[in-house]
Amino acid sequence: MGTYRQRLRQVTAERGNLCVGIDPHPGVLAAWGLPATASGLEQCARGIIEALGDRVAVFKPQSAFFEAHGSAGVAVLERVLADIRAAGALSIVDAKRGDIGSTMAAYAAAYLTDGSPLAGDALTVSPYLGFGSLLPAFEAAVASDRGVYVLARTSNPEGGQVQLALGREGSVVQEIIDAARAFNASARTRAIGLVVGGTHASLGCDVSEFNGSILVPGIGAQGGDVADLPHLFGAAFEQVLPMVGRAIIGAGPGVPEMRERVRAFTAH
Amino acid sequence: MGTYRQRLRQVTAERGNLCVGIDPHPGVLAAWGLPATASGLEQCARGIIEALGDRVAVFKPQSAFFEAHGSAGVAVLERVLADIRAAGALSIVDAKRGDIGSTMAAYAAAYLTDGSPLAGDALTVSPYLGFGSLLPAFEAAVASDRGVYVLARTSNPEGGQVQLALGREGSVVQEIIDAARAFNASARTRAIGLVVGGTHASLGCDVSEFNGSILVPGIGAQGGDVADLPHLFGAAFEQVLPMVGRAIIGAGPGVPEMRERVRAFTAH
């Protein structure tokens, strides 16, 4: 099946490079006329795949909205991941996990290891404990041909407090970008991607030489515009995977309405 | 039942101020003679509460080791949290969640809201997206008389890359400590605690005026020593909750052996 990046290149060549966020929060469930229960969650999340699974390259289920329904919600996430796989699309589990040692290895076992029901094609991780603390996830991703997206510059206004602070070699975000690039250059697969928000007037960091996938949230409801991304990302624009959540799934539950939104975002 | 800090003060007055980490990783399961399955996980994790639930003040189950067994493992975590409650102890769910807006609110719904099967007495959170991004968790904790422990200075050597970087007002870790103190001072309850590792020769941050609970991992297997904590934390030592994981549960499955380890750590 190839590496994560090979699979990503193939499916985006066929379907366009859009990532649809599966964010079944209470407001979306209400708009779909569904109860705020594990059953309502399941109808919404699996309904999105049913409507869009044959035409969207990548889906990003947000773990928080499944965890909010307890282990029954997490079981729904497992079924959603199986649906995405069956539809020939890729999945990025947005869980922003981050820990150390054997604990980080346990997250890697859950989300980046063949046979685990929670394993998708990629996982988002959070580097507050240092880039190096995430090594067990990077190694598991390389070994299983999966991907890991490290939070670098997030889309929210509060992120700069940590991400733009000055470390030994430059800003925190730049140290993470450079360390990710160095890992990718030395590993068998370019397993590490970055999360860089599309909401900023300028990124405040240099991704021009980055050698992996760049997941860009913040498009649509958060105010980012797909049309601005070539300018914002420059030479790295080819690696960008724009992520749209509410602006697509909020048009549901009508299938034609959601498909029309996907068409509009893919046309750019 | 009072606020989280009132409950914490009461139970530590009765039982001593030790927090036992429930870290059922594959090595612990093997040492206990249990299979690396959801059933083995359940026997280990609930066996710890059965052995120590009447004499330990606080338990900290590590979510990663439950997630590694998929939704079946998360269902075990729900039962473990119910066991801890039934034993009259407090629970800190160590999940290090961190996100923004309605996503952070969904994590708060899962872990900090009455009626959710995954809600314990407190939750650990990670501030890579900025201290302010965690506000939905802080508000939920105040509203439900629960606690939130924000990662500040972690016990691992890689943590300094982010935590000691320089922000506008000082280091990242100091900005987080100061913001947590300001929130506690203005809120109805001092819901915010800190995670500060006990492995460092010096903390590299000032917690002397902090006004909440301080969870201190890294004692035992990671090299920290309970006897060093008064010197390391100075005036804030009274707020310290030392956390020991493997050095206690690794002595199992024998009940007398685990109880003896608890006695030894509590005697300090």
Side-chain angles (χ1 to χ4, degrees), chain B residues 130-217:
Chain B
F131 182 85
S133 68
L134 302 172
L135 192 62
F138 302 150
E139 288 175 342
V142 170
S144 72
D145 283 328
R146 288 186 170 79
V148 174
Y149 286 90
V150 182
L151 295 188
R153 184 78 180 100
T154 60
S155 60
N156 61 313
E158 307 91 347
Q161 179 187 35
V162 173
Q163 298 153 22
L164 300 182
L166 282 175
R168 285 190 191 171
E169 322 263 325
S171 65
V172 165
V173 57
Q174 196 61 51
E175 284 196 21
I176 284 163
I177 293 168
D178 294 346
R181 179 165 61 107
F183 181 95
N184 280 343
S186 70
R188 181 181 64 82
T189 77
R190 294 184 174 184
I192 305 184
L194 301 174
V195 178
V196 179
T199 49
H200 306 284
S202 80
L203 295 182
C205 57
D206 179 6
V207 292
S208 62
E209 295 185 44
F210 184 65
N211 52 6
S213 175
I214 304 176
L215 179 67
V216 178

Coordinates of all heavy atoms in Angstrom, one line a residue, chain B residues 130-217:
Chain B
G130 N -1.5 27.5 23.9 CA -1.6 28.7 24.7 C -2.5 28.5 26.0 O -3.5 27.7 25.9
F131 N -2.1 29.1 27.1 CA -2.9 29.0 28.3 C -4.4 29.3 28.1 O -5.2 28.6 28.6 CB -2.3 29.9 29.4 CG -2.9 29.8 30.7 CD1 -2.5 28.8 31.6 CD2 -3.9 30.7 31.1 CE1 -3.2 28.7 32.9 CE2 -4.6 30.6 32.3 CZ -4.2 29.6 33.2
G132 N -4.6 30.4 27.4 CA -6.0 30.8 27.2 C -6.9 29.8 26.4 O -8.1 29.8 26.6
S133 N -6.3 29.0 25.6 CA -7.0 28.0 24.9 C -7.7 27.0 25.8 O -8.7 26.3 25.4 CB -6.2 27.2 23.8 OG -5.2 26.4 24.5
L134 N -7.2 26.8 27.0 CA -7.7 25.9 27.9 C -8.9 26.4 28.8 O -9.4 25.6 29.6 CB -6.6 25.4 28.9 CG -5.4 24.8 28.2 CD1 -4.2 24.6 29.2 CD2 -5.7 23.5 27.5
L135 N -9.3 27.6 28.5 CA -10.4 28.2 29.3 C -11.6 27.4 29.4 O -12.2 27.3 30.5 CB -10.7 29.6 28.7 CG -11.6 30.5 29.6 CD1 -10.9 30.8 30.9 CD2 -11.9 31.8 28.9
P136 N -12.1 26.7 28.4 CA -13.3 25.9 28.5 C -13.1 24.8 29.6 O -14.1 24.5 30.3 CB -13.5 25.2 27.2 CG -12.9 26.2 26.2 CD -11.7 26.8 27.0
A137 N -11.9 24.3 29.8 CA -11.7 23.3 30.8 C -11.7 23.9 32.2 O -12.2 23.4 33.1 CB -10.4 22.6 30.5
F138 N -11.1 25.1 32.3 CA -11.0 25.8 33.6 C -12.4 26.1 34.0 O -12.8 25.9 35.2 CB -10.2 27.1 33.5 CG -8.8 26.9 33.0 CD1 -8.1 27.9 32.3 CD2 -8.1 25.7 33.3 CE1 -6.8 27.7 31.9 CE2 -6.8 25.5 32.8 CZ -6.1 26.5 32.1
E139 N -13.2 26.6 33.1 CA -14.6 27.0 33.5 C -15.4 25.8 33.9 O -16.2 25.8 34.8 CB -15.3 27.7 32.3 CG -14.7 29.1 32.1 CD -15.2 29.9 30.9 OE1 -15.8 29.2 30.0 OE2 -15.1 31.1 30.9
A140 N -15.3 24.7 33.2 CA -16.0 23.5 33.5 C -15.6 22.9 34.9 O -16.4 22.5 35.7 CB -15.8 22.4 32.4
A141 N -14.3 23.0 35.2 CA -13.8 22.6 36.5 C -14.3 23.4 37.6 O -14.8 22.9 38.6 CB -12.2 22.6 36.5
V142 N -14.4 24.7 37.4 CA -14.9 25.6 38.5 C -16.4 25.3 38.6 O -16.9 25.1 39.8 CB -14.7 27.1 38.1 CG1 -15.5 28.0 39.0 CG2 -13.3 27.5 38.1
A143 N -17.1 25.1 37.5 CA -18.6 24.9 37.6 C -18.9 23.6 38.3 O -19.9 23.5 39.0 CB -19.2 25.0 36.2
S144 N -18.1 22.6 38.1 CA -18.4 21.2 38.6 C -17.6 20.9 39.8 O -17.6 19.7 40.2 CB -18.3 20.2 37.5 OG -16.9 20.0 37.2
D145 N -16.9 21.8 40.4 CA -16.0 21.6 41.6 C -15.0 20.5 41.3 O -14.7 19.6 42.2 CB -16.9 21.2 42.8 CG -17.5 22.4 43.4 OD1 -16.9 23.5 43.4 OD2 -18.6 22.3 44.0
R146 N -14.4 20.5 40.1 CA -13.3 19.6 39.8 C -12.0 20.4 39.7 O -12.0 21.6 39.9 CB -13.6 18.9 38.5 CG -14.7 17.8 38.6 CD -14.9 17.0 37.4 NE -15.8 15.9 37.6 CZ -17.1 15.9 37.7 NH1 -17.7 17.1 37.5 NH2 -17.8 14.8 37.9
G147 N -11.0 19.7 39.3 CA -9.6 20.3 39.2 C -9.1 20.1 37.8 O -9.5 19.1 37.1
V148 N -8.1 20.9 37.4 CA -7.4 20.8 36.1 C -5.9 21.0 36.5 O -5.6 22.0 37.1 CB -7.9 21.9 35.1 CG1 -7.0 21.8 33.9 CG2 -9.3 21.7 34.8
Y149 N -5.1 20.1 36.1 CA -3.7 20.2 36.3 C -3.0 20.6 34.9 O -3.1 19.8 34.0 CB -3.0 18.9 36.8 CG -3.3 18.7 38.3 CD1 -4.4 17.9 38.7 CD2 -2.5 19.2 39.2 CE1 -4.7 17.7 40.0 CE2 -2.7 19.0 40.6 CZ -3.9 18.2 41.0 OH -4.1 18.0 42.3
V150 N -2.5 21.8 34.8 CA -1.8 22.2 33.6 C -0.4 21.8 33.6 O 0.4 22.1 34.5 CB -1.9 23.7 33.4 CG1 -1.3 24.2 32.1 CG2 -3.4 24.2 33.6
L151 N 0.1 21.2 32.5 CA 1.5 20.9 32.3 C 2.3 22.2 32.4 O 2.0 23.1 31.6 CB 1.8 20.2 31.0 CG 1.2 18.8 30.7 CD1 1.8 18.2 29.4 CD2 1.4 17.9 31.9
A152 N 3.2 22.2 33.3 CA 4.1 23.4 33.4 C 5.5 23.0 33.1 O 5.9 23.1 31.9 CB 3.9 24.0 34.8
R153 N 6.2 22.4 34.1 CA 7.6 22.0 33.9 C 7.5 20.4 34.0 O 7.4 19.9 35.1 CB 8.5 22.6 34.9 CG 9.9 22.3 34.8 CD 10.6 23.1 33.7 NE 12.0 22.8 33.6 CZ 12.5 22.0 32.7 NH1 11.7 21.5 31.8 NH2 13.8 21.8 32.6
T154 N 7.7 19.7 32.9 CA 7.5 18.3 33.0 C 8.8 17.6 33.4 O 9.9 18.2 33.4 CB 7.0 17.7 31.6 OG1 7.9 18.0 30.6 CG2 5.6 18.3 31.3
S155 N 8.7 16.3 33.8 CA 9.8 15.6 34.4 C 10.9 15.2 33.4 O 12.0 14.9 33.8 CB 9.3 14.4 35.1 OG 8.7 13.5 34.2
N156 N 10.6 15.2 32.1 CA 11.5 14.6 31.1 C 12.6 15.6 30.6 O 12.3 16.8 30.6 CB 10.7 14.1 29.9 CG 10.0 15.2 29.2 OD1 9.3 16.0 29.8 ND2 10.1 15.3 27.9
P157 N 13.7 15.2 30.2 CA 14.8 16.1 29.8 C 14.5 16.9 28.5 O 15.0 18.0 28.4 CB 16.0 15.2 29.5 CG 15.5 13.8 29.4 CD 14.2 13.8 30.2
E158 N 13.6 16.4 27.6 CA 13.3 17.2 26.4 C 12.4 18.3 26.6 O 12.2 19.2 25.7 CB 12.7 16.2 25.4 CG 13.4 14.9 25.0 CD 12.9 13.8 25.9 OE1 12.2 14.1 26.9 OE2 13.3 12.6 25.6
G159 N 11.7 18.4 27.8 CA 10.7 19.4 28.0 C 11.2 20.8 28.0 O 10.4 21.8 27.6
G160 N 12.4 21.1 28.3 CA 12.9 22.4 28.4 C 12.9 23.2 27.0 O 12.8 24.4 27.0
Q161 N 13.0 22.4 25.9 CA 12.9 23.0 24.6 C 11.8 24.0 24.5 O 11.9 25.1 23.9 CB 12.9 22.0 23.5 CG 12.8 22.5 22.1 CD 12.5 21.4 21.1 OE1 11.8 20.5 21.3 NE2 13.2 21.6 19.9
V162 N 10.6 23.6 24.9 CA 9.4 24.4 24.8 C 9.2 25.2 26.2 O 9.0 26.4 26.2 CB 8.2 23.6 24.5 CG1 6.9 24.4 24.6 CG2 8.3 22.9 23.2
Q163 N 9.4 24.5 27.3 CA 8.9 25.1 28.6 C 9.9 26.2 29.1 O 9.4 27.1 29.8 CB 8.8 24.0 29.6 CG 7.8 23.0 29.2 CD 8.1 21.6 29.8 OE1 8.8 21.4 30.8 NE2 7.5 20.6 29.1
L164 N 11.1 26.2 28.7 CA 12.1 27.2 29.1 C 12.3 28.3 28.0 O 13.1 29.2 28.2 CB 13.4 26.6 29.5 CG 13.3 25.6 30.7 CD1 14.7 25.0 31.1 CD2 12.6 26.2 31.9
A165 N 11.6 28.2 26.9 CA 11.7 29.2 25.9 C 11.2 30.5 26.4 O 10.4 30.5 27.4 CB 11.0 28.8 24.6
L166 N 11.7 31.6 25.9 CA 11.3 32.9 26.4 C 10.2 33.6 25.7 O 10.2 33.9 24.5 CB 12.5 33.9 26.3 CG 13.6 33.6 27.4 CD1 14.8 34.5 27.1 CD2 13.0 33.9 28.8
G167 N 9.1 33.8 26.4 CA 7.9 34.5 25.9 C 8.0 36.0 26.2 O 9.1 36.5 26.6
R168 N 6.9 36.7 26.1 CA 6.9 38.2 26.3 C 7.2 38.6 27.8 O 7.8 39.6 28.1 CB 5.5 38.7 26.0 CG 5.4 38.8 24.5 CD 4.1 39.5 24.1 NE 3.8 39.3 22.7 CZ 2.7 39.8 22.1 NH1 1.8 40.4 22.7 NH2 2.6 39.5 20.8
E169 N 6.7 37.7 28.7 CA 6.8 38.1 30.1 C 7.8 37.3 30.9 O 7.9 37.5 32.1 CB 5.4 37.9 30.8 CG 4.2 38.3 30.0 CD 3.7 39.7 30.3 OE1 3.8 40.1 31.5 OE2 3.3 40.4 29.4
G170 N 8.4 36.4 30.2 CA 9.3 35.5 30.9 C 9.3 34.1 30.2 O 8.8 34.1 29.1
S171 N 9.8 33.1 30.9 CA 9.8 31.8 30.2 C 8.3 31.3 30.1 O 7.4 31.8 30.8 CB 10.5 30.8 31.1 OG 9.9 30.6 32.3
V172 N 8.1 30.4 29.1 CA 6.8 29.8 28.9 C 6.3 29.2 30.2 O 5.1 29.5 30.6 CB 6.9 28.7 27.8 CG1 5.6 27.9 27.8 CG2 7.1 29.4 26.4
V173 N 7.1 28.4 30.9 CA 6.6 27.8 32.1 C 6.2 28.9 33.2 O 5.1 28.8 33.8 CB 7.6 26.8 32.7 CG1 8.9 27.4 33.0 CG2 7.0 26.2 34.0
Q174 N 7.0 30.0 33.3 CA 6.6 31.0 34.3 C 5.3 31.7 33.9 O 4.5 32.0 34.7 CB 7.8 32.0 34.4 CG 7.7 32.8 35.7 CD 7.7 32.0 36.9 OE1 8.6 31.1 37.1 NE2 6.7 32.1 37.8
E175 N 5.2 32.0 32.6 CA 3.9 32.6 32.1 C 2.7 31.8 32.5 O 1.6 32.3 32.8 CB 3.9 32.9 30.6 CG 4.8 34.0 30.2 CD 4.5 34.5 28.8 OE1 3.5 34.2 28.2 OE2 5.4 35.1 28.2
I176 N 2.9 30.4 32.3 CA 1.8 29.5 32.6 C 1.5 29.5 34.1 O 0.3 29.6 34.6 CB 2.0 28.1 32.1 CG1 1.8 28.2 30.5 CG2 1.2 27.1 32.7 CD1 2.4 27.1 29.8
I177 N 2.5 29.5 34.9 CA 2.3 29.5 36.4 C 1.6 30.8 36.8 O 0.7 30.7 37.6 CB 3.7 29.3 37.1 CG1 4.3 28.0 36.8 CG2 3.6 29.6 38.6 CD1 5.8 27.8 37.3
D178 N 2.1 31.9 36.3 CA 1.5 33.2 36.7 C 0.1 33.3 36.2 O -0.8 33.9 37.0 CB 2.4 34.3 36.1 CG 3.8 34.3 36.8 OD1 4.0 33.6 37.8 OD2 4.7 35.0 36.2
A179 N -0.2 32.8 35.0 CA -1.6 32.9 34.5 C -2.5 32.0 35.3 O -3.7 32.4 35.6 CB -1.6 32.6 33.0
A180 N -2.0 30.9 35.7 CA -2.8 29.9 36.6 C -3.1 30.6 37.9 O -4.2 30.5 38.4 CB -2.1 28.6 36.7
R181 N -2.1 31.2 38.5 CA -2.3 31.9 39.8 C -3.3 33.0 39.7 O -4.2 33.1 40.5 CB -0.9 32.4 40.3 CG -1.0 33.2 41.6 CD 0.3 33.4 42.2 NE 1.2 34.2 41.4 CZ 1.5 35.5 41.6 NH1 1.0 36.1 42.7 NH2 2.2 36.2 40.8
A182 N -3.2 33.8 38.6 CA -4.2 34.9 38.4 C -5.6 34.3 38.2 O -6.6 34.9 38.8 CB -3.8 35.7 37.2
F183 N -5.7 33.2 37.5 CA -7.1 32.7 37.3 C -7.6 32.2 38.6 O -8.8 32.5 39.0 CB -7.0 31.5 36.3 CG -8.4 30.9 36.1 CD1 -9.2 31.3 35.0 CD2 -8.9 29.9 36.9 CE1 -10.4 30.7 34.8 CE2 -10.1 29.3 36.7 CZ -10.9 29.8 35.7
N184 N -6.8 31.4 39.4 CA -7.3 30.9 40.7 C -7.7 32.1 41.6 O -8.7 32.0 42.4 CB -6.1 30.1 41.4 CG -6.0 28.7 40.8 OD1 -7.0 28.2 40.2 ND2 -4.9 28.1 41.1
A185 N -6.9 33.2 41.6 CA -7.2 34.3 42.5 C -8.5 34.9 42.2 O -9.2 35.5 43.1 CB -6.1 35.3 42.4
S186 N -9.0 34.8 40.9 CA -10.2 35.5 40.5 C -11.4 34.6 40.4 O -12.5 35.1 40.3 CB -10.0 36.3 39.2 OG -9.9 35.3 38.2
A187 N -11.2 33.3 40.5 CA -12.3 32.4 40.3 C -12.9 32.0 41.6 O -12.4 32.2 42.7 CB -11.8 31.2 39.5
R188 N -14.1 31.4 41.5 CA -14.8 30.9 42.7 C -14.0 29.8 43.4 O -14.1 29.7 44.7 CB -16.2 30.4 42.4 CG -17.0 29.9 43.6 CD -18.4 29.4 43.1 NE -18.3 28.2 42.3 CZ -18.2 27.0 42.8 NH1 -18.1 26.7 44.0 NH2 -18.1 26.0 41.9
T189 N -13.3 28.9 42.6 CA -12.5 27.9 43.3 C -11.1 27.9 42.7 O -11.0 28.4 41.5 CB -13.1 26.5 43.0 OG1 -12.8 26.1 41.6 CG2 -14.6 26.4 43.2
R190 N -10.2 27.5 43.5 CA -8.8 27.4 42.9 C -8.7 26.1 42.2 O -7.9 25.2 42.6 CB -7.8 27.5 44.1 CG -7.9 28.8 44.8 CD -6.8 29.0 45.8 NE -6.9 30.4 46.3 CZ -6.1 30.9 47.2 NH1 -5.1 30.1 47.8 NH2 -6.2 32.1 47.6
A191 N -9.3 26.1 41.0 CA -9.5 24.8 40.3 C -8.2 24.4 39.5 O -8.0 23.2 39.2 CB -10.6 25.0 39.2
I192 N -7.3 25.4 39.3 CA -6.1 25.1 38.4 C -5.0 24.6 39.3 O -4.6 25.3 40.2 CB -5.7 26.2 37.6 CG1 -6.9 26.7 36.7 CG2 -4.5 25.8 36.7 CD1 -6.5 27.8 35.8
G193 N -4.4 23.5 39.0 CA -3.2 23.0 39.6 C -2.1 23.0 38.5 O -2.4 23.3 37.3
L194 N -0.9 22.6 38.9 CA 0.2 22.5 38.0 C 0.8 21.1 38.0 O 0.7 20.4 39.0 CB 1.3 23.5 38.4 CG 1.0 25.0 38.4 CD1 2.2 25.8 39.0 CD2 0.6 25.5 37.0
V195 N 1.4 20.7 36.9 CA 2.3 19.5 36.9 C 3.7 20.0 36.8 O 4.1 20.8 35.8 CB 2.0 18.6 35.6 CG1 2.9 17.4 35.6 CG2 0.5 18.1 35.7
V196 N 4.5 19.7 37.8 CA 5.9 20.1 37.9 C 6.7 18.9 38.3 O 6.5 18.3 39.4 CB 6.1 21.3 38.9 CG1 7.6 21.6 39.0 CG2 5.2 22.5 38.6
G197 N 7.6 18.5 37.4 CA 8.3 17.2 37.6 C 9.3 17.3 38.8 O 9.8 18.4 39.1
G198 N 9.5 16.2 39.5 CA 10.3 16.1 40.6 C 11.7 15.6 40.3 O 12.5 15.2 41.2
T199 N 12.1 15.6 39.0 CA 13.4 15.0 38.6 C 14.5 16.1 38.4 O 15.6 15.7 38.2 CB 13.2 14.3 37.3 OG1 12.5 15.2 36.4 CG2 12.4 13.1 37.4
H200 N 14.1 17.4 38.5 CA 15.1 18.4 38.2 C 15.9 18.8 39.4 O 15.4 18.8 40.5 CB 14.4 19.6 37.6 CG 13.5 19.3 36.5 ND1 14.0 19.0 35.2 CD2 12.2 19.2 36.4 CE1 13.0 18.8 34.4 NE2 11.9 18.9 35.1
A201 N 17.2 19.1 39.2 CA 18.0 19.6 40.3 C 17.5 20.9 40.8 O 17.5 21.2 42.0 CB 19.5 19.7 39.9
S202 N 17.1 21.8 39.9 CA 16.4 23.0 40.2 C 15.2 23.2 39.2 O 15.3 22.7 38.1 CB 17.3 24.2 40.3 OG 17.4 24.7 38.9
L203 N 14.1 23.8 39.7 CA 12.9 23.8 38.8 C 13.1 24.6 37.6 O 12.4 24.4 36.6 CB 11.7 24.2 39.6 CG 11.3 23.3 40.8 CD1 10.1 23.9 41.5 CD2 11.0 21.9 40.3
G204 N 13.8 25.7 37.7 CA 13.9 26.7 36.6 C 12.7 27.5 36.4 O 12.4 28.1 35.4
C205 N 11.9 27.6 37.5 CA 10.7 28.4 37.5 C 10.3 28.7 39.0 O 10.8 28.0 39.9 CB 9.5 27.8 36.8 SG 9.0 26.1 37.4
D206 N 9.5 29.7 39.2 CA 9.2 30.1 40.6 C 7.7 29.7 40.9 O 6.8 30.3 40.3 CB 9.4 31.6 40.7 CG 9.1 32.1 42.1 OD1 8.8 31.3 43.0 OD2 9.1 33.4 42.3
V207 N 7.5 28.8 41.8 CA 6.2 28.3 42.2 C 5.9 28.8 43.6 O 4.8 28.4 44.1 CB 6.0 26.8 42.1 CG1 6.0 26.3 40.6 CG2 7.0 26.1 42.9
S208 N 6.7 29.7 44.1 CA 6.6 30.0 45.6 C 5.3 30.7 45.9 O 4.8 30.6 47.0 CB 7.8 30.8 46.0 OG 7.8 32.1 45.4
E209 N 4.7 31.4 44.9 CA 3.5 32.1 45.2 C 2.3 31.4 44.6 O 1.2 32.0 44.5 CB 3.6 33.6 44.8 CG 4.6 34.3 45.6 CD 4.6 35.8 45.2 OE1 3.5 36.4 45.1 OE2 5.7 36.3 45.0
F210 N 2.5 30.2 44.1 CA 1.4 29.5 43.4 C 0.3 29.2 44.5 O 0.6 28.7 45.6 CB 1.8 28.3 42.6 CG 0.7 27.7 41.9 CD1 0.1 28.4 40.8 CD2 0.2 26.4 42.2 CE1 -1.0 27.9 40.2 CE2 -0.9 25.9 41.5 CZ -1.5 26.6 40.5
N211 N -1.0 29.3 44.0 CA -2.1 29.1 45.0 C -3.0 27.9 44.6 O -4.2 28.0 44.9 CB -2.9 30.4 44.9 CG -3.3 30.8 43.5 OD1 -3.0 30.1 42.6 ND2 -3.9 32.0 43.3
G212 N -2.4 26.9 44.1 CA -3.2 25.7 43.8 C -2.4 24.4 44.1 O -1.3 24.5 44.6
S213 N -3.0 23.3 43.7 CA -2.3 22.0 44.0 C -1.2 21.8 42.9 O -1.3 22.3 41.8 CB -3.3 20.9 43.8 OG -2.7 19.6 43.9
I214 N -0.1 21.2 43.3 CA 1.0 20.9 42.4 C 1.3 19.4 42.4 O 1.7 18.8 43.4 CB 2.3 21.6 42.9 CG1 2.1 23.1 43.0 CG2 3.5 21.4 41.9 CD1 3.3 23.9 43.6
L215 N 1.0 18.8 41.2 CA 1.2 17.4 41.0 C 2.6 17.1 40.6 O 3.1 17.8 39.6 CB 0.2 16.9 40.0 CG 0.3 15.4 39.6 CD1 -0.1 14.5 40.8 CD2 -0.6 15.1 38.4
V216 N 3.3 16.3 41.3 CA 4.8 16.1 41.0 C 5.1 14.7 40.6 O 5.2 13.8 41.4 CB 5.6 16.5 42.3 CG1 7.1 16.2 42.0 CG2 5.3 17.9 42.7
P217 N 5.1 14.4 39.3 CA 5.5 13.1 38.8 C 7.0 13.0 38.8 O 7.8 13.9 39.1 CB 5.0 13.1 37.4 CG 5.0 14.5 36.9 CD 4.8 15.3 38.2

